[in-house]
Amino acid sequence: MTDNDGLYRRDVLKAGGAAAALGLGGGEFLQGLAERGDETASKRDPSIENYVGQNDVIQTVCSPNCRGKCPIDVHVRDGQVKKVEPHPPEDEQYKRACVLGLSHTQRVYDPTRLKYPMKRTDWSPDEPNPDGRGPDAEFERVSWDEALDLVAEKMQSLKAAHGAESVLFHEGSGNYGQSGKAFNRLASLFGSTQSAWGIDANVGRGFNRVTGTGFFLPPTNEAEDWENANTIIVWGSDLFASQFQMDASKVLDAVESGAKLVVVDPVYTTTASKADLWLPVKPGKDVHLALAMMHTVFEDGTYDEQFLRKRTTGPALIRKDTGDLLKASDVFEDGGENQVVAVEQGSATPVELEPETGGPYALFGEYTVDGIECETALTRLRDHVADYAPSKVAAKTGVDAENIRTAVRWLATRGPGGIAPSYALGRYKHGHIFGQTYAMLMGLTGDYGRHGNIHAHHAGGATLSAGGWGTPEDADPGPSLFFPEYPDAILDGDPHKVRAVYSIESNMMGNQFPDRQRFREAIRTLEMYVVADMHHTDTVQHADIILPAPHWFEQEDITSSWGSHPHISYRHKVQEPMWEARDDYDAIRGLAERLGFGDYFPETKREMLREIAGRDDDIDFDTLFEQGTQKKESVPIVKYTDAFPTETGRIKMYDDDAPSEEGVTFDVPRPLEDRTADDYEKADEYPLMFMQKHSRFRIHSQYEMLNWVREVNPEPQLDIHPSDAKARGIEDGEYVRVHNDRGEMIVKAKYNEAFQPGLVNTDQGWWSRDFIKGHHNDLTHNEVSEVGQTMAFYDVRVAVEPAPDNVDTDTYEADTLRGAGADARAGGD
Amino acid sequence: MTNYGLVIDQERCIGCQACAVSCKQENNVPMGQFWNRVLTEGGDKIDTPSGGYPEDGGSGSLDMQYQPTACQHCENAPCVKVCPVNATYTRDDGIVEIDYDKCIGCRYCMAACPYNARVFNWDEPEQMPEEGTGDVAARPQGVVEKCTFCSHRVDEGLDPACVVNCPADARIFGDLDDEGSTVSKYINEYETDQLLEDRGTDPKTHYISGEMSPGRPQTSDKMESELDDVSPWSDGTEDVPSDADGSDSSDSGGSHHSIEGDADPHVPAVGSGGDD
Amino acid sequence: MNDPQQPRLTPIDEWEDEAEAMLDGVEYDTELGLRMARDAIRVSNGELSDAEFHEKYHEEILEEFGEDERPTKPEGFDDD
Ligand code: SF4
Ligand code: SF4
Ligand code: SF4
């Protein structure tokens, strides 16, 4: 590290023959060594050369879009990264790291790292030769100046000819630092199209309709509070393998002290193996199941009356004539138009419902108010779920009726608890309905605003509030485009034509987006495709200009811990960027200068970070810089303690302004399915549902190259129930062809009793090079629900058959160390 | 006397592989070899359950548990008894270890170990990155190696790497001869098993299964016996040594350190990546 | 060698095959290694004493390795 401002650096301690030192632990350690004298280091084992205490230890933070954001110590010796260990943050109970973050020692030096700026050999701003893109594209090395000149020149000419919105700034989630804000800032100033998130937003959207909060998964109590839960219903999530494994001890501690753990999942996951009760639901039937749970709550009378009266619109009256909620303005002279109305028990006199205010309101019943026939919202809901008795939905959902009742009885009667759904539910097309349903179910059980309540399968965490730094006041930002809209925009100009893309922190367009072939087709028509990345991914292979980004250990940054833990962390540089890799911030600033916006960008990244951090009242830059982590004190441990940000300040138990799609209105939760529907037209042709589980071995497509992990998990496989396999003549460990009307892939079959018959899986996040043929995202589709606007990766059907005899599977049969990646794509070429 | 042992709570273990991989990293274990593996008690492959998927919507018969397995550091270690040159030996603190200078590569110990805990360097060991990782030197070709309970760390008062890196607090290391240690307490309080108990090897690795323990939260990398009230990770200055060379200050909560000067990045020798 | 994808420990009755494979190609007597492995477990079990074990193999070890440094050597055992 080159900084010399002395804010945090200790004088380097030298002791005995040991090297420079570090870390409070390290310092102490050295003292020990000094006391014990020289021979101590390996006093007992002369044949073991021991380097303990000899490393430089740099505190930094691991930063993919996982739920870790783990502060870590990087040990460096002889100028080389030797190992990674977790570094407990300011609040040490959040000490964390996973197998991937611990393996950066391999990632830093992996041959897939990009080394130099490159240009596709046959590309120029005037003659883009789009056909030259793809797996066989060749690149030549250029200087950073040349690369940025070319990009700026093309952006300017496109802006002049077609408007700035013909350039799309696409930002992924591959780096949880602040460079994205600089990217947005430049996009806003230039007026380009910006990307809008179209992944994993389904469940949150539905939840938001009910509570006024949530976009991805809704906020939930911080992990430290999970121990207080008495019932945890994990829904469609393998949280011990993905998203929450760094905080596993928190859930385990709850279980150890007596909480009931329920897992709802078609797969018997690691998490299910720890559960008191597992509900093996059929894919797509989750809303039916949640409605059956509501049915039980009504039938048992275990709803939380006090909560319903005080914090929900349960007692609010619905006009039978219009289906709208009765408003104060309907019955009182000066009544508000948004104010809903209830009646008090034993009378038919209307009263206005205020937020956070209890009263003797009637929860059920029909009333005529001012001649208007009404019923309470709760009555409407109870009648709606009358059709969903557990015994009635058991066959449809695949779950035993008594187990449905048991699960919800635990939630309703054992004190505080909650439901921890995952993003998987939103990976079914109409997943937003589940968000709506469970938000209301927890309204019935009164599980908001208390210790021990849980609303998502990862915690809330802390985000650096940078105000509007990404959008300067004098900017005139262009339109935004949802991810799923990209292909139509690029190919057909719908809603407007996109001709060039600048992409950072993302392996989406070439690897992670569904219907990959269509995205590739779109890429192939662009006039310019600029990709900045750390590795030579499939996306990079399709670029015209490649900008090599440094490894996180080589970029100074501030890492937010959204969804993870309540700290902000400083990502100190461990070493200077290798080769000619350059921080995205420097590239963006270089481009800004060329485009005439240089003044908007501080000269160094450090200055930018200081400026942004200055906008967050909870964070003091110098403290953060010095400590490495700072707990954000304004992050509430318990969420939902105040009035809900809805029109009424209450949870909506009935939605009179509900959206609808495919002829279904969501005033109350109504199941709607796509490919999981029993009568889906192509169900016979493609009889198996296909999901792509998030495993413990990937964060999206990151870490694909870790050799240590590849020894345990060498290649993509198809998890398939033995009965489904045998019916197709497929042997365990045999290669199979998985296909549908969009594409195919060839992978090894893995007999797995954990998988429901009718459901198959390939863990997501593999790169093209890992497949014998095709890719998991050649099978997925890009159709989204109107309301959910979220890519539906799991709402996919496939057929499976033995692979043709002539496929070449040598990559995995030859005894190589790395398993796949025999043709490790070199980083610089 | 000190007699080190390990308790693994299988009820807590989530099979995350952090222990297996961080062991490789810490101990510079060659590619293709594992000192510590996360086995599955379940189906025929890792991460699969035994039993059958329920057909009636009930909870069914599926079952799965993880069993991280490394050298068990047996009290009656068969490997020690067969080593003709006494390269494999038991330290005073109970750790079974190999003197690589003495090892002649006869592999009799491997045949004698019923836990498949030992690996042999058939070839010149290969590390990634090439220069090796962690805090011990690589072993040469032609010797047998295995888990050392991270003796190089234990000798310095630190817990084994796998223990420090377990996110489930499922691994607890300590002195079996000290009745007050967490390992001793858990072995008393919980139902614990040793692997292949009938062999009489008396492993010092004990597995909790049945009832979950509270584990041992790791907010420090020090061994339990080395811990005083103040965690070395906290900001408490009491815990910080007065710097040998009198640097004033700096420990007012600062736990950050940097490499001296402008750390030049190390550019590794890369087989296939270099086009320079 | 010890495969991280192996699901569980090799059952004891299959262990000998595996042990044999490990010893395959070793410069020393494979068969001796196997016999000693078997008997070392008997020592652990208490079926055989250290001293008995030591004596039983002492000659063969000396012949094969030119030394016998095993820790099982009983007090006063004559090494030659
Ligand atoms: S990948 Fe995520 S969970 Fe794993 S160490 Fe990095 S930040 Fe933590
Ligand atoms: S104690 Fe050390 S050597 Fe043994 S398994 Fe754990 S990390 Fe590996
Ligand atoms: S690190 Fe802990 S939880 Fe993970 S596999 Fe090892 S023992 Fe199990």
Side-chain angles (χ1 to χ4, degrees):
Chain A
M1 174 168 296
T2 49
D3 96 90
N4 279 309
D5 56 15
L7 278 171
Y8 64 94
R9 288 183 58 181
R10 299 174 61 192
D11 289 345
V12 171
L13 187 85
K14 303 247 187 225
L22 335 205
L24 296 178
E28 182 165 26
F29 216 180
L30 280 181
Q31 192 189 32
L33 284 183
E35 277 164 10
R36 287 184 217 162
D38 275 341
E39 78 280 22
T40 36
S42 13
K43 60 181 187 294
R44 295 183 189 156
D45 301 303
S47 80
I48 296 181
E49 208 178 320
N50 180 351
Y51 306 118
V52 171
Q54 299 187 22
N55 303 328
D56 294 346
V57 182
I58 298 94
Q59 184 188 336
T60 186
V61 51
C62 184
S63 319
N65 184 17
C66 63
R67 301 285 73 86
K69 309 297 155 15
C70 305
I72 49 176
D73 279 334
V74 181
H75 289 241
V76 177
R77 196 172 64 248
D78 303 330
Q80 204 194 347
V81 174
K82 290 293 181 188
K83 68 169 167 176
V84 176
E85 282 189 356
H87 184 107
E90 190 178 9
D91 183 349
E92 0 176 288
Q93 63 181 321
Y94 287 103
K95 178 213 150 203
R96 58 217 288 110
C98 78
V99 66
L100 304 174
L102 293 170
S103 303
H104 277 292
T105 311
Q106 291 197 321
R107 184 168 174 181
V108 175
Y109 302 117
D110 193 81
T112 59
R113 282 219 27 206
L114 292 169
K115 301 178 181 63
Y116 310 105
M118 308 286 275
K119 178 182 91 66
R120 178 157 59 84
T121 314
D122 52 359
W123 180 87
S124 72
D126 299 330
E127 285 186 51
N129 283 313
D131 290 340
R133 294 196 183 99
D136 300 325
E138 289 186 8
F139 299 94
E140 64 193 32
R141 191 172 156 181
V142 292
S143 70
W144 268 99
D145 276 338
E146 278 173 84
L148 296 178
D149 286 345
L150 287 167
V151 177
E153 178 192 334
K154 185 68 183 172
M155 281 174 67
Q156 294 288 38
S157 68
L158 284 173
K159 184 176 187 170
H162 307 286
E165 73 270 15
S166 63
V167 179
L168 166 66
F169 273 44
H170 165 78
E171 184 196 0
S173 61
N175 178 357
Y176 247 68
Q178 305 302 321
S179 292
K181 298 212 170 67
F183 191 67
N184 297 339
R185 192 171 170 92
L186 179 57
S188 304
L189 291 162
F190 183 77
S192 72
T193 300
Q194 300 190 45
S195 47
W197 215 261
I199 294 180
D200 290 342
N202 230 345
V203 173
R205 268 204 181 85
F207 191 94
N208 194 316
R209 292 206 297 273
V210 177
T211 64
T213 24
F215 177 70
F216 297 109
L217 285 177
T220 192
N221 293 7
E222 295 305 316
E224 66 190 76
D225 185 60
W226 287 37
E227 221 186 309
N228 296 313
N230 292 340
T231 306
I232 303 175
I233 301 183
V234 173
W235 203 309
S237 163
D238 190 4
L239 51 69
F240 286 141
S242 173
Q243 303 269 0
F244 211 72
Q245 68 270 41
M246 303 70 60
D247 286 308
S249 57
K250 315 275 192 311
V251 180
L252 293 165
D253 289 348
V255 171
E256 200 267 328
S257 45
K260 295 287 187 192
L261 180 64
V262 179
V263 171
V264 185
D265 205 307
V267 186
Y268 182 82
T269 56
T270 296
T271 311
S273 77
K274 304 279 182 210
D276 295 287
L277 184 62
W278 169 51
L279 309 184
V281 67
K282 289 185 188 163
K285 309 299 183 219
D286 306 275
V287 173
H288 292 90
L289 190 62
L291 291 173
M293 290 183 172
M294 285 191 193
H295 184 279
T296 298
V297 172
F298 280 117
E299 192 174 62
D300 293 354
T302 49
Y303 41 82
D304 185 335
E305 296 189 3
Q306 211 188 334
F307 182 88
L308 285 164
R309 291 195 175 103
K310 184 174 169 194
R311 306 199 65 191
T312 78
T313 61
L317 297 175
I318 303 171
R319 298 175 63 126
K320 288 193 168 181
D321 53 353
T322 60
D324 290 338
L325 285 159
L326 186 70
K327 301 288 157 54
S329 54
D330 295 337
V331 285
F332 304 115
E333 289 271 291
D334 51 354
E337 279 181 25
N338 280 325
Q339 183 116 36
V340 294
V341 170
V343 293
E344 295 196 342
Q345 278 168 306
S347 87
T349 320
V351 284
E352 300 178 350
L353 284 177
E354 303 291 343
E356 299 297 308
T357 313
Y361 312 124
L363 289 176
F364 296 98
E366 306 194 348
Y367 303 89
T368 307
V369 178
D370 265 7
I372 307 168
E373 282 184 42
C374 299
E375 64 183 345
T376 70
L378 219 49
T379 306
R380 177 75 59 103
L381 184 62
R382 185 187 60 191
D383 293 350
H384 172 62
V385 303
D387 290 341
Y388 295 89
S391 53
K392 222 168 153 188
V393 304
K396 187 167 200 84
T397 59
V399 183
D400 176 74
E402 198 47 39
N403 285 352
I404 301 175
R405 291 189 203 104
T406 303
V408 73
R409 279 176 186 152
W410 283 343
L411 180 67
T413 64
R414 295 184 88 251
I419 297 176
S422 72
Y423 294 109
L425 292 148
R427 292 182 170 229
Y428 293 88
K429 192 171 169 189
H430 304 287
H432 61 92
I433 309 168
F434 180 81
Q436 177 192 17
T437 316
Y438 92 98
M440 291 171 74
L441 172 57
M442 291 182 67
L444 285 179
T445 57
D447 282 309
Y448 287 87
R450 291 193 288 168
H451 284 285
N453 286 159
I454 296 170
H455 300 89
H457 79 158
H458 61 68
T463 302
L464 188 71
S465 330
W469 199 81
T471 327
E473 269 170 26
D474 51 345
D476 183 16
S480 56
L481 206 56
F482 276 113
F483 294 162
E485 296 178 307
Y486 286 7
D488 286 350
I490 296 170
L491 289 163
D492 307 327
D494 173 25
H496 63 268
K497 185 86 178 160
V498 166
R499 297 168 193 273
V501 178
Y502 174 17
S503 160
I504 66 165
E505 304 172 359
S506 172
N507 186 20
M508 289 172 172
M509 286 180 67
N511 203 80
Q512 291 296 95
F513 277 161
D515 201 355
R516 195 177 69 136
Q517 292 307 332
R518 184 157 151 82
F519 272 93
R520 289 197 165 182
E521 195 188 317
I523 291 171
R524 274 195 287 270
T525 65
L526 290 169
E527 291 182 40
M528 176 174 73
Y529 191 28
V530 183
V531 181
D533 205 299
M534 203 189 289
H535 299 276
H536 195 138
T537 63
D538 280 308
T539 301
V540 164
Q541 178 60 27
H542 285 76
D544 302 321
I545 300 284
I546 300 174
L547 305 177
H551 185 272
W552 297 319
F553 293 176
E554 299 155 11
Q555 313 175 7
E556 171 171 20
D557 217 323
I558 295 177
T559 301
S560 281
S561 312
W562 178 81
S564 311
H565 58 94
H567 298 85
I568 303 297
S569 307
Y570 205 89
R571 199 204 292 153
H572 285 288
K573 251 192 219 177
V574 174
Q575 59 185 14
E576 288 304 315
M578 296 212 275
W579 307 289
E580 286 183 14
R582 203 185 269 188
D583 198 303
D584 281 335
Y585 179 74
D586 296 321
I588 292 161
R589 185 170 181 279
L591 212 48
E593 277 172 346
R594 287 166 174 79
L595 296 169
F597 304 113
D599 294 348
Y600 289 83
F601 295 83
E603 200 161 328
T604 65
K605 181 140 182 212
R606 172 88 52 90
E607 286 171 55
M608 179 214 36
L609 296 174
R610 193 180 275 280
E611 197 173 310
I612 291 183
R615 294 174 167 232
D616 190 324
D617 293 340
D618 285 335
I619 296 299
D620 173 57
F621 181 87
D622 294 328
T623 309
L624 176 64
F625 189 86
E626 188 180 330
Q627 287 186 177
T629 62
Q630 192 178 4
K631 193 168 186 189
K632 211 170 157 173
E633 294 301 338
S634 62
V635 170
I637 304 301
V638 177
K639 316 292 181 193
Y640 309 105
T641 48
D642 299 325
F644 290 90
T646 54
E647 302 84 23
T648 58
R650 292 167 170 256
I651 291 178
K652 282 189 229 172
M653 299 305 278
Y654 175 78
D655 191 350
D656 60 355
D657 189 27
S660 56
E661 62 187 348
E662 299 180 17
V664 179
T665 304
F666 305 112
D667 51 350
V668 287
R670 298 178 199 281
L672 178 61
E673 292 177 61
D674 193 55
R675 283 148 165 95
T676 56
D678 306 328
D679 56 354
Y680 183 70
E681 49 174 337
K682 286 187 179 164
D684 289 341
E685 205 175 332
Y686 302 113
L688 301 170
M689 291 302 299
F690 173 56
M691 62 180 272
Q692 311 95 45
K693 186 177 185 292
H694 284 224
S695 80
R696 52 175 72 85
F697 303 120
R698 254 351 149 265
I699 307 299
H700 304 129
S701 66
Q702 299 207 54
Y703 299 106
E704 179 265 5
M705 73 295 295
L706 295 178
N707 292 289
W708 285 325
V709 169
R710 294 297 282 260
E711 289 184 314
V712 183
N713 180 229
E715 64 173 301
Q717 295 187 314
L718 188 78
D719 292 293
I720 184 167
H721 190 272
S723 64
D724 283 333
K726 286 175 190 154
R728 292 165 175 76
I730 294 163
E731 311 253 349
D732 196 9
E734 186 188 351
Y735 282 92
V736 291
R737 175 171 175 264
V738 184
H739 62 101
N740 61 18
D741 36 17
R742 279 171 303 283
E744 64 173 347
M745 67 172 180
I746 291 181
V747 294
K748 194 182 261 178
K750 178 184 184 185
Y751 278 21
N752 194 342
E753 281 286 350
F755 278 79
Q756 192 173 92
L759 173 66
V760 292
N761 171 70
T762 294
D763 291 344
Q764 67 84 49
W766 298 93
W767 297 5
S768 286
R769 66 176 190 170
D770 302 319
F771 289 88
I772 301 299
K773 193 168 183 203
H775 190 275
H776 52 80
N777 277 324
D778 289 345
L779 297 159
T780 49
H781 63 76
N782 187 35
E783 296 156 31
V784 301
S785 105
E786 248 169 84
V787 176
Q789 286 293 329
T790 296
M791 288 164 158
F793 294 88
Y794 293 6
D795 216 339
V796 170
R797 285 186 167 273
V798 296
V800 179
E801 63 194 26
D805 290 339
N806 58 356
V807 294
D808 177 6
T809 56
D810 280 358
T811 351
Y812 292 113
E813 271 141 26
D815 205 7
T816 54
L817 283 182
R818 61 177 308 129
D823 65 334
R825 197 177 262 154
D829 50 10
Chain B
M1 281 295 280
T2 305
N3 190 22
Y4 287 119
L6 181 69
V7 169
I8 300 176
D9 185 342
Q10 290 182 273
E11 298 298 328
R12 295 188 76 92
C13 174
I14 56 170
C16 73
Q17 304 279 353
C19 56
V21 166
S22 59
C23 170
K24 293 198 64 163
Q25 171 162 260
E26 174 71 25
N27 290 293
N28 209 358
V29 178
M31 296 308 294
Q33 311 277 42
F34 276 76
W35 287 5
N36 180 21
R37 295 175 294 157
V38 181
L39 307 180
T40 307
E41 289 182 75
D44 292 336
K45 284 178 289 301
I46 55 163
D47 261 328
T48 63
S50 60
Y53 199 93
E55 282 172 16
D56 54 359
S59 307
S61 62
L62 294 176
D63 193 32
M64 179 170 77
Q65 208 166 32
Y66 296 101
Q67 180 196 299
T69 307
C71 170
Q72 303 287 300
H73 297 276
C74 308
E75 192 67 47
N76 306 319
C79 54
V80 171
K81 308 212 189 279
V82 300
C83 178
V85 296
N86 199 21
T88 287
Y89 66 104
T90 307
R91 302 186 350 160
D92 291 347
D93 56 10
I95 297 179
V96 175
E97 195 143 280
I98 302 166
D99 183 334
Y100 305 112
D101 293 340
K102 286 190 185 164
C103 177
I104 54 171
C106 72
R107 314 200 286 276
Y108 281 19
C109 55
M110 290 177 72
C113 169
Y115 304 100
N116 197 4
R118 301 179 154 243
V119 298
F120 179 66
N121 290 336
W122 294 90
D123 302 309
E124 193 58 49
E126 195 180 331
Q127 265 79 17
M128 286 188 183
E130 260 172 53
E131 295 78 355
T133 61
D135 276 355
V136 283
R139 282 70 49 189
Q141 184 176 9
V143 304
V144 165
E145 52 180 81
K146 66 157 193 78
C147 159
T148 61
F149 262 171
C150 284
S151 61
H152 65 290
R153 293 174 62 96
V154 171
D155 287 348
E156 305 298 352
L158 301 179
D159 262 334
C162 56
V163 170
V164 171
N165 289 315
C166 173
D169 301 334
R171 306 176 72 95
I172 307 137
F173 184 77
D175 184 0
L176 299 172
D177 280 357
D178 172 1
E179 281 180 19
S181 68
T182 305
V183 279
S184 297
K185 280 195 274 182
Y186 283 6
I187 290 169
N188 278 331
E189 271 172 50
Y190 294 89
E191 204 171 304
T192 56
D193 298 311
Q194 293 155 301
L195 299 182
L196 308 177
E197 232 152 295
D198 60 322
R199 301 273 109 182
T201 47
D202 194 9
K204 285 188 283 272
T205 305
H206 299 257
Y207 293 85
I208 296 181
S209 179
E211 191 191 343
M212 190 185 291
S213 79
R216 192 191 146 228
Q218 289 274 346
T219 47
S220 155
D221 61 355
K222 281 190 188 175
M223 283 199 294
E224 194 175 41
S225 54
E226 301 282 312
L227 282 181
D228 38 39
D229 293 345
V230 183
S231 154
W233 304 101
S234 78
D235 294 340
T237 42
E238 310 91 289
D239 197 54
V240 176
S242 51
D243 279 347
D245 58 357
S247 104
D248 42 80
S249 67
S250 41
D251 288 319
S252 51
S255 52
H256 177 73
H257 301 274
S258 80
I259 307 181
E260 189 171 16
D262 38 345
D264 274 330
H266 171 79
V267 180
V270 175
S272 53
D275 53 350
D276 36 34
Chain C
M1 217 47 260
N2 52 5
D3 178 3
Q5 294 169 65
Q6 182 192 356
R8 53 181 103 86
L9 279 184
T10 310
I12 226 62
D13 45 345
E14 289 163 36
W15 173 246
E16 291 221 352
D17 294 342
E18 212 156 296
E20 215 165 321
M22 284 174 183
L23 291 171
D24 189 37
V26 77
E27 291 157 42
Y28 305 94
D29 186 347
T30 306
E31 199 262 337
L32 175 61
L34 280 176
R35 273 189 290 131
M36 287 180 69
R38 225 172 282 142
D39 276 340
I41 294 285
R42 293 179 62 208
V43 176
S44 302
N45 266 338
E47 288 171 35
L48 204 65
S49 74
D50 272 1
E52 284 166 330
F53 177 74
H54 197 82
E55 271 167 56
K56 183 169 174 186
Y57 291 106
H58 182 64
E59 292 299 322
E60 283 181 85
I61 291 270
L62 268 190
E63 194 174 315
E64 189 66 26
F65 297 95
E67 57 180 322
D68 183 4
E69 294 299 327
R70 288 175 298 151
T72 46
K73 186 169 76 172
E75 200 87 18
F77 184 78
D78 179 6
D79 280 59
D80 303 304

